[in-house]
């Protein structure tokens, strides 16, 4: 164990928050094992660790959502016992969750009102919401309904809601996992400002570069135990990762030679009206993806990626069957199950509630997408052994860490659930894989495993379509990259010639017709 | 001081199992108070309600007879509720089944028709119940009409139709103008299991329905589909399951079971068609479904328990002059507590000292 003290001297004599020997057990499983943590005012403190290391569990204990099995919390030096989040909030502890806790069909203001303890009227609250969000440069329209918002905007609601409580101590659990680089930069400005206002921030992230840039101190967890506290600015991303994993992280290696074969996924001039008033209109999207190829789709979230995913998966049907061709078969009118039977597999962006049913077991969630093809269902009866077997295979291949063999999906840590979902689809050996944000919230080691698996799948002859906010990821694994902007897809560039600058320009819409851009800007 | 509901971090399994028992306990406490207010000795009232019916064979049979329709209907309702389809009109489907099945009995009366009559009645009863249930389901799927309202309103339509038939076209000419059909022929009657007893073949059918429900929900892909559509609609769509189709299917199954229960009741314990064949089975079955935690075995137990309250209520009326409506009060209070206790699985009560004033403005 090593302990390099952080660079900045502390402004006060006692830490704002301490955990002393904090332990959390789930049955016989130790999610947190005697963790000591000190967070000082005016400090941005990173909490790092692999998926399932116990980060979310620890911060939920600090926020009063999880009752520690042993150990104690101290607030400004005093022992603190929390029987629920409202008590944490009363002390000035705020939290932004890894998974959003928003009601889809309520408005922004209604959602914020539900999470506040104060007694102000709804009107006062709405006014304050607008004012706080504007003053921190996180604009929000209080009257919009949440289901119409992009993930980045939803995150903004959670952050503004936390800020409205004027917290002394703010916990952010992987806030940037879903943000575009621009949105993340905006967030960092807010965090720096909160820090200069004397608040403390506990910051969970898998993106080590941003931790180095932003945080003063980092505490690293591994397998539920604290392994080190260090100054991240004095470390390299690689050395931080090594502390998290305990070993070196493997490099992702593309297969030496990949054979590009037949077209497996073809989109012919796909036009699709949005489901709702705020959705994106898909306009004239065409592409051809051959076996052995990985095509990356870059773009700022909310430019039609969700709509494209729904059209490809069959959650929304196209009018003309020929607009989507899977394995040579016109599939635009086919249901998602029929498309799966043709050999397609899909990984959506949202893992809880879309990719999985949160309150159902993993085996049932394996059945969710596995029932259409394969041996999981015989004569209408579920073959439980086959579903469990699928769970075991995903667990083994993708190192899914969980407390028992077949837990509820919601009890997995975020990254581990992501590994399960990606594993579930890849292990079906699809001919076409459409995947959205494959490494969302996944730690560096596991991200490497998933990217490698995508490359291996392509090497085995599949066509892979990856949508991601993470340009580095796309550059690392794609053969070609196309950019989505206002519902249109640019022509794809070979990755070798796709510089970040070029992609950045495309993501801003600059090389698309200016007429279109002007039209799209005012919708 | 303020009492608030707060979401639990982890779903409590103990509370999930204990919740129906807590609800029953709270109901009994409330009933005790009610009996005292009515000026009855609560101890003996509870004794008459819950213990006396268990003491003799006749009452035990009667409990099984009353539990039969409750369980049958509740199994169907549980499928609807699991799939987030709110069929409140089982009572109407029950009556429609009874009417349609009785049609065969009335038309074959005294014609010496063979043993095909009873099976045909059961089939037609189930079919009529299913079709009747499909009306609100189709309105829901096609036009987005609230199935809660439409299914409930159709109860009164069925009720009036039955009333019209037994007062008009189907009235027994030898019936001294009572609104009832003639007593059904033996071939149109559900056979009893014990010579001279009340227990009839319908109870066996109810057990088969429970077993089938358990297999459907636990072992088949359809059952899985029903559970996912209710629990996580978006994930269900991603899984390729069609929520609208399931609304139609679960309403049809539920209607069929209610209709079957209806014709069994008429062709069994009652023996002829008349108004008032149901003391509200279709509504009480809603309580049974929730008290049984939408689980087939749970529903079987809950059905027996609520049947007990019917018998106990009759006993209490005879021996203690407690109005029969108290049974309805009891059932209503029970449903209230069941639903309240269910929310305690996901939420818990907390008392907060009057809210610590949150600072205005975040800067
Ligand atoms: N309610 C629960 N029941 C059982 N096990 C749980 C529960 N919640 C968490 N766990 C287990 O505790 C471990 C730690 O989970 P936690 O969510 O704290 O991880 P994490 O460090 O936040 O990971 P990630 O980076 O993937 O979000 C995981 O292995 C998880 O399966
Ligand atoms: Mg986490």
């Amino acid at each position: 164990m090593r302990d390099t003290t952080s660079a900045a001297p502390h402004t006060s004599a006692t830490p704002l928050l301490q955990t002393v020997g904090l332990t959390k057990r789930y049955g016989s499983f130790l999610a947190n094992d005697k963790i000591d943590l000190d967070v000082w005012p005016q400090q941005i403190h990173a909490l790092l660790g692999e998926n399932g290391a116990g980060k979310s569990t620890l911060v939920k204990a600090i926020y009063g959502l999880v009752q520690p099995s042993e150990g104690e919390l101290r607030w400004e030096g005093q022992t603190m016992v929390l029987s629920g989040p409202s008590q944490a909030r009363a002390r000035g502890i705020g939290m932004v969750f890894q998974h959003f806790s928003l009601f889809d069909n309520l408005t922004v203001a209604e959602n914020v009102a539900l999470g506040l303890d104060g007694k102000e009227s709804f009107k006062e609250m709405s006014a304050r919401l607008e004012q706080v969000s504007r003053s921190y440069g996180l604009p929000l329209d209080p009257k919009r309904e949440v289901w119409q918002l992009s993930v980045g905007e939803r995150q903004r609601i959670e952050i503004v809601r936390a800020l409205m409580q004027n917290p002394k101590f703010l916990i952010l659990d992987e806030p940037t996992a879903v943000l575009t680089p621009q949105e993340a930069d905006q967030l960092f400005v807010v965090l720096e400002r909160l820090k200069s206002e004397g608040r403390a921030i506990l910051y969970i992230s898998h993106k080590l570069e941003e931790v180095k840039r932003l945080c003063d101190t980092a505490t690293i967890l591994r397998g539920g135990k604290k392994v080190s506290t260090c100054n991240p600015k004095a470390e390299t991303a690689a050395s931080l990762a090594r502390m998290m994993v305990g070993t070196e992280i493997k490099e992702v290696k593309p297969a030496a030679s990949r054979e590009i074969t037949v077209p497996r996924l073809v989109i012919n001039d796909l036009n699709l009206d949005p489901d709702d008033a705020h959705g994106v209109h898909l306009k004239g999207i065409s592409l051809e993806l051959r076996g052995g190829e990985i095509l990356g789709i870059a773009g700022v979230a909310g430019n039609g990626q969700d709509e494209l995913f729904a059209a490809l998966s069959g959650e929304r049907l196209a009018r003309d069957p020929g607009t989507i061709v899977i394995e040579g078969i016109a599939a635009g009118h086919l249901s998602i199950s029929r498309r799966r039977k043709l050999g397609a597999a899909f990984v959506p962006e949202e893992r809880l509630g879309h990719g999985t049913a949160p309150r159902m077991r993993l085996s049932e969630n394996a059945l969710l997408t596995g029932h259409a093809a394969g041996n999981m269902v015989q004569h209408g009866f579920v073959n439980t052994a086959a579903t469990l077997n699928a769970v075991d295979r995903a667990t083994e291949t993708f190192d899914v860490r969980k407390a028992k063999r077949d837990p509820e999906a919601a009890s997995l840590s975020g990254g581990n659930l992501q590994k399960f979902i990606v594993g579930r689809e890849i292990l079906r050996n699809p001919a076409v894989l459409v995947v959205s944000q494959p490494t969302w919230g996944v730690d560096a080691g596991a991200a490497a495993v998933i990217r490698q698996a995508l490359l291996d799948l392509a090497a085995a002859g599949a066509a892979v379509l990856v949508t991601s906010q993470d340009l580095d990821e796309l550059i690392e694994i794609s053969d070609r990259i196309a950019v989505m902007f206002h519902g249109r897809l640019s022509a794809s560039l070979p990755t070798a010639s796709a510089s970040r600058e070029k992609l950045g320009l495309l993501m801003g819409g600059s090389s698309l017709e200016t007429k279109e851009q002007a039209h799209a800007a005012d919708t | 001081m303020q009492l608030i509901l707060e979401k639990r971090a982890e779903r409590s399994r103990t509370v999930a199992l204990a919740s129906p028992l807590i609800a029953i306990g709270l109901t009994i406490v409330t009933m005790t108070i009610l009996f005292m207010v009515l000026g009855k000795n609560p101890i003996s009232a509870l004794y008459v309600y819950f213990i006396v019916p268990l003491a003799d064979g006749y009452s035990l049979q009667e409990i099984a007879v009353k539990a039969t329709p409750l369980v049958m209907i509740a199994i169907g309702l549980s499928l609807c509720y699991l799939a987030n389809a709110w069929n409140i009109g089982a009572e109407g489907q029950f009556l429609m089944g009874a009417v349609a099945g009785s049609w065969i009995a009335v038309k074959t009366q005294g014609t010496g028709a063979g043993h095909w009559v009873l099976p045909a009645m059961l089939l037609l009863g189930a079919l009529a119940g299913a079709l009747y249930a499909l009306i609100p389901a189709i309105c829901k799927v096609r036009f987005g009409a609230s199935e809660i309202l439409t299914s409930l309103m159709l109860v009164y339509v069925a009720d009036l139709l039955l009333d019209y038939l037994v007062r008009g076209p189907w009235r027994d000419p030898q019936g001294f103008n009572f609104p009832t059909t003639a007593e059904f022929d033996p071939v149109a009657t559900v056979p009893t299991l014990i010579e001279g007893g009340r227990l009839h073949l319908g109870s066996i059918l109810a057990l088969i329905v429970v077993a089938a429900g358990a297999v459907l929900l636990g072992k088949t892909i359809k059952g899985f589909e029903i559970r996912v559509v209710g629990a996580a609609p978006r994930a269900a769509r991603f899984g390729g399951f069609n929520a609208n189709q399931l609304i139609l299917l679960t309403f049809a199954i539920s209607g069929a079971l209610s209709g079957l229960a209806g014709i069994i009741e008429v062709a069994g314990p009652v023996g002829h068609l008349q108004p008032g064949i149901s003391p509200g089975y279709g509504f009480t079955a809603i309580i049974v479904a929730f008290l049984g935690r939408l689980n087939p075995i749970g529903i079987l137990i809950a059905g027996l328990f609520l049947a007990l309250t019917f018998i106990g209520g009759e006993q209490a009326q005879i021996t203690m002059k407690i109005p029969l409506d108290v049974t309805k009060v009891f059932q209503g209070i029970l449903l209230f507590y069941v639903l309240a206790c269910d929310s305690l699985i996901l939420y818990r009560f907390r008392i907060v000292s009057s809210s610590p004033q949150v600072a205005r403005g975040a800067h």
Side-chain angles (χ1 to χ4, degrees):
Chain A
M1 199 195 265
R2 64 194 207 174
D3 240 319
T4 40
T5 25
S6 72
H10 302 307
T11 44
S12 61
T14 48
L16 181 63
L17 177 113
Q18 283 176 287
T19 69
V20 185
L22 195 117
T23 299
K24 176 64 191 175
R25 268 188 217 99
Y26 288 110
S28 60
F29 180 84
L30 271 172
N32 282 165
D33 188 1
K34 302 200 196 67
I35 294 181
D36 297 324
L37 175 77
D38 295 350
V39 186
W40 299 80
Q42 222 168 22
Q43 184 184 54
I44 304 185
H45 192 129
L47 193 55
L48 306 178
E50 287 182 278
N51 295 130
K55 305 177 297 293
S56 294
T57 307
L58 180 64
V59 295
K60 281 184 200 159
I62 296 174
Y63 192 58
L65 259 179
V66 157
Q67 295 303 319
S69 315
E70 273 161 46
E72 65 170 31
L73 296 168
R74 289 196 196 138
W75 180 250
E76 295 173 332
Q78 307 288 313
T79 300
M80 161 172 82
V81 179
L82 299 172
S83 61
S86 53
Q87 291 191 342
R89 285 194 295 265
R91 287 185 162 81
I93 303 175
M95 175 147 167
V96 174
F97 289 92
Q98 180 174 11
H99 299 114
F100 306 144
S101 45
L102 299 171
F103 293 95
D104 273 355
N105 35 21
L106 296 185
T107 64
V108 172
E110 286 163 344
N111 265 290
V112 170
L114 281 173
L116 292 179
D117 304 319
K119 278 196 181 134
E120 62 195 326
S121 74
F122 188 74
K123 221 166 136 199
E124 287 171 338
M125 195 279 312
S126 296
R128 199 158 67 87
L129 164 68
E130 255 194 292
Q131 180 230 334
V132 171
S133 69
R134 212 166 342 101
S135 86
Y136 277 99
L138 298 166
L140 276 177
D141 176 357
K143 289 186 212 64
R144 287 281 293 274
E145 286 185 4
V146 166
W147 58 272
Q148 303 166 332
L149 302 181
S150 72
V151 222
E153 287 169 307
R154 291 180 194 209
Q155 167 113 68
R156 217 179 283 160
I157 305 177
E158 300 260 5
I159 292 174
V160 170
R161 175 156 78 183
L163 290 181
M164 284 176 69
Q165 324 234 6
N166 194 16
K168 282 189 198 159
F169 182 88
L170 183 62
I171 302 165
L172 297 138
D173 194 350
E174 295 190 38
T176 52
V178 296
L179 298 187
T180 62
Q182 294 83 340
E183 286 173 320
D185 286 340
Q186 235 174 16
L187 176 67
F188 298 154
V189 173
V190 173
L191 296 184
E192 291 288 0
R193 173 161 154 208
L194 292 172
K195 173 181 161 187
S196 69
E197 288 168 350
R199 305 169 208 263
I201 292 161
L202 188 56
Y203 187 84
I204 299 180
S205 177
H206 289 296
K207 299 186 178 166
L208 300 175
E209 290 301 340
E210 77 184 28
V211 166
K212 277 170 57 63
R213 191 172 128 198
L214 186 71
C215 301
D216 314 300
T217 306
T219 291
I220 294 160
L221 303 184
R222 190 196 307 155
K225 290 195 179 64
K226 174 171 131 178
V227 289
S228 163
T229 296
C230 62
N231 176 1
K233 297 197 161 74
E235 302 284 337
T236 64
S239 71
L240 287 171
R242 208 176 311 120
M243 281 188 264
M244 283 160 50
V245 183
T247 58
E248 293 287 338
I249 302 221
K250 276 191 241 125
E251 289 269 315
V252 176
K253 286 193 291 288
S257 68
R258 253 195 278 146
E259 208 183 328
I260 307 298
T261 58
V262 291
R264 291 196 183 281
L265 175 67
V266 180
I267 307 179
N268 295 313
D269 191 27
L270 171 70
N271 292 287
L272 203 56
D273 292 334
D275 244 345
D276 62 82
H278 295 278
V280 178
H281 193 134
L282 295 180
K283 293 174 218 137
I285 293 185
S286 296
L287 63 80
E288 183 186 272
L289 188 56
R290 293 169 173 264
E293 260 190 320
I294 300 183
L295 173 66
I297 295 188
V300 177
N303 271 292
Q305 293 95 328
D306 296 348
E307 285 79 2
L308 179 61
F309 182 88
L312 287 176
S313 70
E315 286 165 292
R316 286 212 55 207
L317 299 181
R319 252 163 281 114
D320 176 3
T323 47
I324 294 171
V325 181
I326 296 173
E327 289 283 77
I329 302 206
H333 62 305
L334 296 183
S335 70
I336 187 166
S337 291
R338 299 278 298 279
R339 295 183 199 200
R340 287 197 175 109
K341 282 193 191 126
L342 292 179
F346 311 95
V347 176
E349 167 177 300
E350 209 163 319
R351 49 189 168 232
L352 281 173
H354 192 183
T356 64
R359 288 297 184 189
M360 293 192 141
R361 298 173 179 289
L362 290 188
S363 59
E364 294 174 303
N365 277 302
L367 182 63
L368 184 71
T369 62
H371 67 89
N375 66 343
M376 286 186 187
V377 179
Q378 285 150 354
H379 311 296
F381 283 84
V382 176
N383 180 348
T384 319
T387 58
L388 275 173
N389 182 27
V391 175
D392 291 345
R393 285 203 307 147
T395 305
E396 217 167 285
T397 322
F398 289 88
D399 186 27
V400 180
R401 315 239 175 117
K402 49 197 164 63
K404 53 183 179 193
R405 184 177 179 197
D406 192 16
E408 279 181 5
S411 84
L412 259 64
S413 80
N416 278 302
L417 186 59
Q418 184 69 20
K419 288 193 268 178
F420 168 76
I421 296 175
V422 173
R424 170 181 79 181
E425 302 306 327
I426 286 185
L427 290 174
R428 290 178 43 223
N429 286 322
V432 175
L433 178 67
V434 179
V435 37
S436 217
Q437 318 291 358
T439 58
W440 203 29
V442 168
D443 68 48
V449 172
I450 289 178
R451 289 176 194 152
Q452 186 69 59
L454 294 176
L455 285 166
D456 293 347
L457 188 70
V464 180
L465 185 70
V466 184
T467 310
S468 178
Q469 300 284 316
D470 185 344
L471 274 187
D472 297 321
E473 170 166 272
L474 291 178
I475 290 172
E476 185 174 0
I477 61 174
S478 321
D479 304 303
R480 294 182 285 138
I481 299 181
V483 173
M484 266 204 109
F485 181 75
H486 285 320
R488 288 181 178 277
L489 190 68
S490 75
S492 60
L493 307 168
T495 305
S497 69
S499 63
R500 295 185 64 100
E501 290 65 42
K502 237 189 224 172
L503 292 172
L505 283 174
L506 281 170
M507 282 162 69
S510 49
S511 68
L512 297 173
E513 304 146 60
T514 35
K515 184 179 71 194
E516 259 310 315
Q517 205 184 333
H519 163 75
D522 54 27
T523 46
Chain B
M1 295 283 271
Q2 215 181 345
L3 196 62
I4 59 163
L5 263 187
E6 187 167 87
K7 196 158 188 158
R8 283 177 193 270
E10 294 142 39
R11 190 158 56 153
S12 166
R13 293 221 177 270
T14 355
V15 179
L17 286 176
S19 128
L21 300 179
I22 299 172
I24 291 175
L26 288 171
T27 309
I28 289 178
V29 171
T30 312
M31 289 304 287
T32 307
I33 297 169
L34 191 69
F35 287 135
M36 290 195 315
V37 172
L38 287 173
K40 310 284 177 191
N41 177 347
I43 304 289
S44 41
L46 290 174
Y47 184 79
V48 171
Y49 250 90
F50 297 113
I51 310 293
V52 172
L54 297 175
D56 71 281
Y58 175 81
S59 303
L60 283 178
Q61 281 194 44
E62 200 57 36
I63 290 175
V65 168
K66 287 261 189 314
T68 297
L70 289 178
V71 169
M72 240 185 219
I73 301 170
I75 294 282
L77 290 181
S78 70
L79 300 181
C80 290
Y81 299 163
L82 282 170
N84 250 342
W86 300 100
N87 182 4
I88 308 296
E91 181 81 1
Q93 295 138 28
F94 177 95
L95 296 176
M96 267 320 198
V99 165
S102 298
W103 176 70
I104 300 183
V106 170
K107 292 298 161 197
T108 58
Q109 190 100 48
T111 58
H115 284 285
W116 59 269
V117 173
L118 183 65
M121 285 166 66
L122 299 186
L123 275 180
L124 191 63
L127 185 69
L131 291 176
Y132 204 54
L134 278 174
I135 300 172
I138 290 171
C139 289
K140 164 81 173 179
V141 171
R142 292 277 311 185
F143 312 111
S146 159
E147 76 278 26
I148 299 178
L149 288 180
T150 48
S151 65
L152 180 63
M153 290 191 297
L154 285 170
V155 171
Y156 303 103
V157 176
D159 201 23
L160 292 172
L161 176 70
L162 189 158
D163 225 50
Y164 162 74
L165 289 173
V166 293
R167 285 175 206 279
W170 292 0
R171 192 174 55 195
D172 180 10
Q174 277 93 52
F176 308 104
N177 263 342
F178 279 112
T180 163
T181 64
E183 225 30 49
F184 290 175
D185 287 342
V187 284
T189 306
V190 177
T192 52
L193 294 178
I194 307 167
E195 194 65 42
R198 298 269 297 153
L199 202 58
H200 58 83
L201 197 63
S203 305
I204 306 283
L205 281 179
L207 286 178
I208 294 174
V209 167
V210 169
V215 171
L216 174 72
L217 284 175
K219 303 273 181 229
T220 69
I221 184 75
K222 251 313 164 232
F224 174 70
E225 217 175 304
I226 290 173
R227 289 184 292 128
V228 202
V229 162
R234 186 138 182 252
R237 197 148 58 112
F238 179 64
F241 303 138
N242 182 330
N244 279 345
Q245 260 173 29
L246 273 191
I247 291 180
L248 297 175
L249 179 78
T250 54
F251 261 78
I253 296 179
S254 163
L257 288 174
S258 301
L260 184 63
I263 186 58
I264 287 176
E265 189 68 15
V266 172
V270 181
H272 55 260
L273 189 65
Q274 63 167 55
I277 49 170
S278 161
Y281 285 134
F283 295 115
T284 308
I286 299 174
I287 306 175
V288 172
F290 281 108
L291 185 65
R293 304 212 53 81
L294 305 182
N295 168 304
I297 307 298
I299 285 172
L300 179 60
I301 298 169
L304 289 168
F305 178 73
L306 274 142
L308 175 68
T309 67
F310 275 123
I311 312 293
E314 285 169 10
Q315 303 264 8
Q317 188 190 26
I318 297 164
T319 58
M320 296 187 69
K321 308 248 174 329
I322 293 173
L324 204 52
D325 285 339
V326 170
T327 307
K328 290 223 174 90
V329 173
F330 173 90
Q331 294 177 348
I333 295 176
L334 182 60
L335 178 62
F336 172 78
Y337 281 128
V338 167
L339 297 180
C341 289
D342 270 5
S343 29
L344 292 183
I345 297 170
L346 287 173
Y347 298 87
R348 65 174 158 216
F349 279 114
R350 276 187 7 84
I351 296 173
V352 289
S353 50
S354 45
S355 88
Q357 203 45 55
V358 201
R360 314 251 130 180
H363 44 99

